[in-house]
C-alpha cells in the first residue's frame, strides 16, 4: 500500500545543509537557536547570550505560544487560533523563523491540531512556509501517533512548493509506527530513494519498530539485514527493535543471533537489548539462556533492571524452575537494588504453583506488603491456583475473600480457580454458590467456571444440578464443550438417569460437539445397568465409527 506522493520535477530542491544552527528567538527566553539535524526528527534548542531585544522576542514568543496552547478545547478552536494570530502573521513574512519556534513549541506540547491550524493560517495569509515548518507539524503528529494527518501534510508539501527532506519523512514513518501502520511505514521507507532522500538509521529504526508493533518479525529482520546494502549503519535502536520483534514473535534464536552480532557491527548492547533478548527466551521457554544473558549483563557492567529480572523469573516459571525463580526474586534482585514489582512476585508465585509449592506461593504473597508491593489480581490468582492444585479449598476461599480488602479486582481466573478447588475438595455447595455469586460481584463466568461447578455437582452426586448447569450455559452466552457434557452425562449415569444421559449425548451431535470416549462410556454404562442391551450395541457401534473417523483424521 503506497502513499501518493507526486513531486514537481521543475521545482529545485532546497539547498539545506546537513547540520546547521539557525539563531532566532525561542520561547525559552534569551536568544536561543534551533538546531535542525539530519540525524534526528526532533527540533532541538540551545541557548546563547543575547541582547535585550532577544529577551523581548523570547518573551513575546512564549506568551504567544501559551495563548495558542490555551485556545479552545483539546481539538483546538479555529476561530480562537485565527484571532490570536491575526496581528502576528504580517510580521512572520519577514521573520519565518518565529513561525518555526511556535510550531516547534506546539510539537513539544503534543498539539498537532493547533499546529496544523497555524500552518493553514500561514498559507491563507500568504506567509511563506518552508520545510522546517512542515517538519515541526509532522513531528507534532508523530508524537501523538496521528499518522493520517502526518501523511496528508507530507503528500501536500509539493502543492505548496516545499520539498520534503529526510526529517519530514522520518517523522512521518515514526507517526505510522506509533499508529500501528507498518505497511505504510515500509512504503514510505521504500519511496525515500525515489524522492531523492537518503535513508538513515533513524528512518530504518522507525520502520523496524513499526514491524515490531505489527508482529512482523520476519520483515524486521529483512530490514536490518538490508541496511548495510543501503550504506546505513545499524545502531542500538535498530537492533533493539529487531530483538523486540523477535521476542513478540516468540523467536528466541533470531533474537540471540542479533544480540551476538551487535559487537561485530561495533554496536554495544545495552540494557534494552539484553532485556528484550531475555524476554524472547522467556516466551520461548528457554530459562537457561535467559539466566545466561542475565549473568552476561553483569560481566558487561550493565545493571539489570527489574524488567530484565522479571523476564528471567518468568522464564524459570515456564521451565518449572521454582527454586531459581526464588533465587532471582529474593536474593539477586535485592543485591543489585532492583525493586521487585507485582510482575516479579506473580511470576515467582506461578513458578511455585506449577511445582506444587503452594506454601511457598502463600509465603510470597504474605511478604509483598513488607516490601511495599501491593498484590494485584494476578498475584492472588496464582496463589489461589496453587491452593486449588493442592486441594486446599479452605485456603483458596480465604484468599478470595481477602481480595476485596485490597485494591486488587476480582478476576474470572481467581473465581474459577476457587471453584475448581471446591470441586477437588468435594464441596459442591461452595462451588455452586461461588458460580452464582460471580455476576453479583461483576465477574463474568466462563467455560472453566461452569465446568468446575458442573464437575463438583457430578462428584457430589447432584445430577439435576449438573444437567441444569449444562443446559443453562446458553443463557450465560457460553457454548458447552465436551468437558461440560462429560461431567453432566457421568452425573446422570451415576444417578441412574440413563435416558437423560442418552439425550445429552444426542444433544452433543445437535450442537456440533464431538463426543469422546468418556461420554460414550458413561452412556453405555447407564444403558447397560438398566438392561438396555440394544442401545448398548448401538452406542458401541457409534463409538467404533467415531474412533475410525478420528484415526483417519489423525493420519491425514
Amino acid at each position: 500500500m503506497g502513499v501518493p506522493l507526486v513531486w514537481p520535477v521543475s521545482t529545485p530542491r532546497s539547498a539545506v545543509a546537513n547540520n546547521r544552527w539557525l539563531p532566532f528567538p525561542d520561547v525559552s527566553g534569551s536568544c536561543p537557536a534551533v538546531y535542525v539535524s539530519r540525524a534526528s526528527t526532533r527540533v532541538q534548542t540551545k541557548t546563547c547570550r543575547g541582547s535585550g531585544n532577544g529577551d523581548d522576542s523570547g518573551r513575546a514568543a512564549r506568551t504567544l505560544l501559551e495563548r495558542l496552547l490555551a485556545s479552545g478545547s483539546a481539538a483546538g478552536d479555529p476561530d480562537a487560533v485565527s484571532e490570536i494570530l491575526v496581528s502576528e502573521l504580517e510580521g512572520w513574512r519577514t521573520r519565518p523563523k518565529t513561525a518555526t519556534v511556535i510550531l516547534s513549541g506546539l510539537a513539544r506540547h503534543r498539539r498537532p491540531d493547533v499546529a496544523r491550524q497555524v500552518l493553514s493560517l500561514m498559507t491563507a495569509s500568504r506567509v511563506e512556509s518552508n520545510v522546517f515548518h512542515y517538519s515541526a507539524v509532522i513531528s507534532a503528529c508523530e508524537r501523538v501517533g496521528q499518522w493520517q494527518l502526518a501523511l496528508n501534510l507530507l503528500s501536500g508539501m509539493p502543492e505548496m512548493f516545499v520539498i520534503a527532506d529526510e526529517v519530514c519523512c522520518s517523522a512521518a514513518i515514526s507517526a505510522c509506527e506509533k499508529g500501528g501502520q507498518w505497511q505504510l511505514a515500509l512504503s514510505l521507507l521504500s519511496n525515500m530513494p525515489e524522492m531523492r532522500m537518503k535513508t538513515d538509521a533513524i528512518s530504518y529504526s522507525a520502520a523496524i519498530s513499526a514491524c515490531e508493533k505489527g508482529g512482523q518479525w520476519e520483515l524486521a529482520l529483512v530490514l536490518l539485514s538490508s541496511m548495510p546494502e543501503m550504506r546505513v549503519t545499524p545502531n542500538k535502536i535498530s537492533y533493539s527493535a529487531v530483538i523486540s520483534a523477535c521476542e513478540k514473535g516468540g523467536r528466541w534464536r533470531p533474537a540471540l543471533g542479533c544480540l551476538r552480532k551487535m559487537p561485530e557491527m561495533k554496536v554495544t548492547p545495552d540494557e534494552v537489548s539484553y532485556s528484550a533478548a531475555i524476554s524472547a527466551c522467556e516466551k520461548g521457554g528457554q530459562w537457561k539462556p535467559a539466566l545466561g544473558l542475565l549473568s552476561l549483563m553483569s560481566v558487561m557492567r550493565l545493571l539489570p533492571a527489574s524488567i530484565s529480572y522479571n523476564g528471567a523469573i518468568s522464564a524459570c516459571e515456564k521451565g518449572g524452575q521454582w527454586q531459581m525463580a526464588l533465587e532471582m526474586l529474593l536474593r539477586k534482585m535485592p543485591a543489585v537494588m532492583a525493586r521487585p514489582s507485582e510482575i516479579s512476585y506473580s511470576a515467582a508465585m506461578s513458578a511455585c504453583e506449577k511445582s506444587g509449592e503452594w506454601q511457598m506461593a502463600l509465603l510470597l504473597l504474605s511478604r509483598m506488603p513488607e516490601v511495599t508491593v501491593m498484590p494485584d489480581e494476578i498475584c492472588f490468582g496464582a496463589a489461589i491456583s496453587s491452593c486449588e492444585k493442592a486441594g486446599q479449598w479452605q485456603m483458596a476461599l480465604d484468599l478470595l475473600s481477602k481480595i476485596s480488602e485490597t485494591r486488587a479486582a476480582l478476576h474470572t481466573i481467581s473465581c474459577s480457580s476457587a471453584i475448581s478447588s471446591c470441586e477437588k475438595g468435594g464441596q459442591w455447595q461452595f462451588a455452586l454458590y461461588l458460580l452464582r455469586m460471580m455476576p453479583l460481584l461483576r465477574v463474568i463466568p466462563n467455560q472453566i467456571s461452569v465446568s468446575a461447578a458442573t464437575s463438583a455437582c457430578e462428584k457430589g452426586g447432584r445430577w439435576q444440578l449438573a444437567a441444569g448447569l449444562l443446559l443453562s450455559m446458553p443463557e450465560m452466552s457460553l457454548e458447552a464443550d465436551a468437558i461440560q457434557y462429560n461431567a453432566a452425562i457421568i452425573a446422570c449415569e451415576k444417578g441412574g438417569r440413563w435416558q437423560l444421559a442418552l439425550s445429552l449425548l444426542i444433544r452433543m451431535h445437535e450442537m456440533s460437539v464431538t463426543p469422546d470416549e468418556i461420554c460414550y462410556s458413561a452412556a453405555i454404562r447407564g444403558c447397560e445397568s438398566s438392561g438396555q442391551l440394544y442401545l448398548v450395541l448401538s452406542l458401541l457401534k457409534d463409538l467404533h465409527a467415531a474412533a475410525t473417523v478420528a484415526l483417519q483424521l489423525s493420519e491425514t
Side-chain angles (χ1 to χ4, degrees):
M1 185 189 304
V3 179
L5 298 175
V6 182
W7 306 98
V9 179
S10 59
T11 305
R13 186 170 181 80
S14 300
V16 180
N18 282 342
N19 296 298
R20 62 181 180 181
W21 288 102
L22 305 174
F24 57 87
D26 189 16
V27 296
S28 59
S30 55
C31 192
V34 167
Y35 177 64
V36 181
S37 171
R38 299 283 72 88
S40 174
T41 59
R42 297 280 190 267
V43 178
Q44 309 171 24
T45 61
K46 73 174 184 178
T47 305
C48 60
R49 297 186 179 272
S51 62
N53 292 334
D55 294 339
D56 293 338
S57 299
R59 282 193 293 270
R62 182 167 59 251
T63 301
L64 179 59
L65 177 61
E66 290 173 353
R67 292 178 63 193
L68 288 171
L69 290 172
S71 65
S73 61
D77 186 345
D79 294 333
V81 174
S82 178
E83 183 178 347
I84 293 171
L85 293 182
V86 65
S87 60
E88 302 287 338
L89 292 173
E90 181 66 28
W92 287 8
R93 290 194 178 95
T94 57
R95 299 192 308 274
K97 298 172 185 176
T98 305
T100 309
V101 173
I102 297 301
L103 293 172
S104 300
L106 293 171
R108 287 195 302 273
H109 287 83
R110 301 172 180 268
R111 292 301 300 269
D113 48 346
V114 181
R116 181 69 180 90
Q117 292 167 20
V118 171
L119 194 62
S120 298
L121 287 171
M122 290 173 61
T123 302
S125 302
R126 297 183 180 180
V127 176
E128 180 184 0
S129 54
N130 57 38
V131 67
F132 300 106
H133 300 150
Y134 275 91
S135 294
V137 182
I138 294 175
S139 179
C141 298
E142 175 263 328
R143 288 172 184 261
V144 296
Q146 289 194 9
W147 58 273
Q148 301 99 325
L149 182 55
L151 294 185
N152 287 338
L153 289 167
L154 188 65
S155 61
M157 291 177 69
E159 299 176 7
M160 305 306 299
F161 299 98
V162 179
I163 304 300
D165 62 1
E166 292 85 354
V167 176
C168 296
C169 202
S170 294
I173 293 174
S174 186
C176 292
E177 173 257 322
K178 286 185 170 63
Q181 302 295 318
W182 62 270
Q183 299 97 328
L184 292 175
L186 292 183
S187 178
L188 282 174
L189 183 68
S190 64
N191 286 336
M192 287 182 70
E194 299 177 9
M195 296 183 285
R196 297 181 182 179
M197 297 181 191
K198 184 180 179 181
T199 55
D200 56 12
I202 294 176
S203 53
Y204 265 96
S205 296
I208 291 172
S209 295
C211 294
E212 175 254 324
K213 289 187 177 180
Q216 304 295 319
W217 64 272
E218 300 98 329
L219 289 177
L221 284 171
V222 170
L223 286 178
L224 182 67
S225 62
S226 66
M227 291 177 71
E229 300 175 7
M230 301 299 295
R231 296 182 181 179
V232 178
T233 303
N235 57 17
K236 290 181 182 179
I237 299 175
S238 313
Y239 276 105
S240 295
V242 173
I243 293 173
S244 182
C246 294
E247 173 259 323
K248 289 188 175 180
R251 306 290 174 169
W252 63 277
R253 292 184 187 277
L256 293 185
C258 288
L259 188 67
R260 294 191 187 101
K261 194 173 182 180
M262 291 178 71
E264 299 176 10
M265 300 298 294
K266 297 182 180 180
V267 179
T268 304
D270 58 7
E271 293 85 354
V272 177
S273 311
Y274 274 102
S275 296
I278 290 173
S279 184
C281 293
E282 175 261 322
K283 290 195 173 179
Q286 302 296 319
W287 63 275
K288 288 184 179 180
L291 296 185
L293 291 174
L294 198 63
S295 300
L296 188 58
M297 291 183 71
S298 301
V299 175
M300 300 296 295
R301 297 183 179 180
L302 295 174
L303 188 62
S306 297
I307 188 173
S308 307
Y309 279 103
N310 291 345
I313 294 171
S314 295
C316 293
E317 175 257 325
K318 290 186 177 180
Q321 302 296 317
W322 67 275
Q323 299 97 329
M324 295 299 300
L326 294 183
E327 175 79 4
M328 295 290 112
L329 177 66
L330 301 179
R331 195 176 72 85
K332 293 194 174 181
M333 290 188 74
V336 296
M337 304 298 290
R339 189 175 185 275
S341 64
E342 297 89 346
I343 299 174
S344 315
Y345 274 93
S346 61
M349 290 165 61
S350 183
C352 295
E353 173 257 323
K354 288 186 176 180
S355 300
E357 300 292 332
W358 64 275
Q359 298 98 330
M360 186 58 68
L362 295 185
L363 179 61
L364 290 176
L365 184 69
S366 65
R367 286 192 57 177
M368 292 181 68
E370 299 175 7
V371 292
T372 65
V373 180
M374 296 305 298
D376 59 8
E377 52 269 20
I378 300 177
C379 297
F380 275 106
I384 293 173
S385 181
S386 67
C387 294
E388 175 260 322
K389 289 190 175 181
Q392 300 293 324
W393 63 271
Q394 300 98 326
M395 192 66 69
L397 293 181
D398 183 58
L399 289 173
L400 195 66
S401 65
K402 287 183 178 179
I403 294 180
S404 59
E405 301 174 6
T406 67
R407 292 181 297 176
L410 274 174
H411 197 275
T412 303
I413 297 176
S414 303
C415 291
S416 298
S417 296
I419 293 172
S420 184
S421 69
C422 294
E423 175 259 326
K424 289 186 176 179
Q427 303 296 319
W428 65 268
Q429 301 96 328
F430 282 113
L432 202 59
Y433 173 76
L434 284 177
L435 182 66
R436 290 173 176 171
M437 284 294 295
M438 287 177 70
L440 300 177
L441 297 172
R442 298 182 180 179
V443 182
I444 301 175
N446 59 11
Q447 286 185 330
I448 299 176
S449 316
V450 178
S451 294
T454 305
S455 183
C457 293
E458 174 262 313
K459 289 184 177 180
R462 303 290 169 169
W463 63 268
Q464 304 97 325
L465 295 174
L469 284 175
L470 175 68
L471 298 175
S472 66
M473 289 186 69
E475 299 175 5
M476 295 183 280
S477 301
L478 296 173
E479 294 183 2
D481 58 14
I483 297 176
Q484 288 94 33
Y485 276 103
N486 286 346
I489 292 175
I490 291 173
C492 292
E493 176 260 322
K494 288 182 178 179
R497 301 292 171 170
W498 65 270
Q499 300 97 330
L500 183 54
L502 197 60
S503 66
L504 290 177
L505 186 63
I506 296 173
R507 181 184 174 87
M508 291 183 71
H509 292 284
E510 296 174 351
M511 301 301 294
S512 300
V513 180
T514 303
D516 57 14
E517 186 177 349
I518 298 175
C519 297
Y520 275 109
S521 297
I524 289 171
R525 286 195 303 269
C527 294
E528 184 180 11
S529 62
S530 302
Q532 305 295 324
L533 298 180
Y534 175 77
L535 291 175
V536 170
L537 293 175
S538 179
L539 288 172
L540 286 172
K541 183 179 179 181
D542 291 343
L543 177 59
H544 181 268
T548 303
V549 172
L551 180 61
Q552 291 175 347
L553 290 175
S554 64
E555 291 176 349
T556 58

